[in-house]
Amino acid sequence: LKMPDLPPDQEELALEEVGKDINRLRLVANRFSDIGSLPKLDVMPIAPIVYGMAEDMRHRIPQQGKRVTLDVDVPSDLKAPLNAELFEWVIENLLKNALDAIETDHGAIAITAGSANGRIRIDVRDTGKGIERSQWKNVFRPGYSTKKRGWGLGLSLAKRIVEDYHGGSLTLTQSRVGHGTTFRIELPAGERA
């Protein structure tokens, strides 16, 4: 924007991106504020949150130079007591981890959901590098990471958000080295639509 001869169309695009960045920063600040207090939970459908975050992630995939499919199958009638901003953060974290776990130039991520016995199950499955069985107990430990960047807090915070704020659970249900990983979120079901 400081460039004196920036064409109007590029200026408009730059302003749009700055606006998106400001909204993302506001969202991050709100999430940390929510973590520091008891957030209000409202019974709402989970599908719009999951589909919305998946769509955001689809826009990021090409920037990583990968061809990754991201399939979502979440029934529209599943409802749970949620804090939308914090729950969105959990889904975002699981999707980012799944994308990072796919170290080849192609792979797949799938999010599926269903309900049984008053609980909602959401599975996030990837075809990434997998996690050795001996490391399963460490994945939710603060500071644990297999990545070159990051602090190893994502899964720890996600687990805290799901368990402490939403009364659910976040578990690593399956992983095979070279074949991928599945994380499961379980939440108490709310009223059906």
Side-chain angles (χ1 to χ4, degrees):
L1 290 175
K2 291 181 180 180
M3 294 171 61
D5 54 353
L6 188 67
D9 60 329
Q10 287 186 332
E11 186 175 304
E12 189 174 321
L13 184 62
L15 284 170
E16 188 177 310
E17 288 302 312
V18 168
K20 287 179 185 175
D21 286 342
I22 289 170
N23 285 335
R24 276 192 285 269
L25 290 170
R26 184 178 299 121
L27 182 62
V28 168
N30 287 344
R31 287 171 175 170
F32 277 104
S33 176
D34 285 347
I35 284 179
S37 61
L38 283 177
K40 184 175 181 283
L41 302 180
D42 295 309
V43 174
M44 64 182 70
I46 64 169
I49 296 170
V50 175
Y51 279 99
M53 186 47 60
E55 192 57 34
D56 286 351
M57 191 60 61
R58 284 188 186 104
H59 292 296
R60 297 179 196 180
I61 291 171
Q63 297 169 4
Q64 303 235 345
K66 298 177 183 179
R67 289 175 311 184
V68 175
T69 60
L70 175 50
D71 295 319
V72 181
D73 183 11
V74 177
S76 60
D77 65 342
L78 294 180
K79 289 185 170 188
L82 298 174
N83 173 288
E85 285 185 352
L86 290 180
F87 184 68
E88 184 179 72
W89 194 7
V90 170
I91 299 298
E92 179 181 19
N93 185 272
L94 291 174
L95 289 175
K96 281 181 176 179
N97 283 354
L99 185 58
D100 288 344
I102 299 171
E103 296 180 324
T104 59
D105 65 348
H106 65 281
I109 301 169
I111 305 173
T112 56
S115 65
N117 303 320
R119 306 283 288 171
I120 292 174
R121 287 182 321 279
I122 305 161
D123 287 343
V124 178
R125 180 177 302 115
D126 67 63
T127 59
K129 62 185 174 182
I131 301 166
E132 289 188 33
R133 181 73 176 156
S134 63
Q135 295 301 311
W136 286 25
K137 64 185 179 301
N138 294 321
V139 296
F140 296 108
R141 187 173 46 82
Y144 177 80
S145 179
T146 60
K147 302 177 193 175
K148 291 183 175 107
R149 4 179 328 263
W151 293 354
L153 295 175
L155 284 175
S156 174
L157 283 172
K159 188 172 184 70
R160 181 175 174 200
I161 289 167
V162 171
E163 293 181 355
D164 295 352
Y165 293 104
H166 291 89
S169 63
L170 173 59
T171 55
L172 169 58
T173 59
Q174 183 178 6
S175 190
R176 278 182 56 212
V177 173
H179 293 276
T181 300
T182 302
F183 284 93
R184 173 170 288 170
I185 300 168
E186 286 200 21
L187 299 169
E191 306 158 14
R192 292 180 81 81

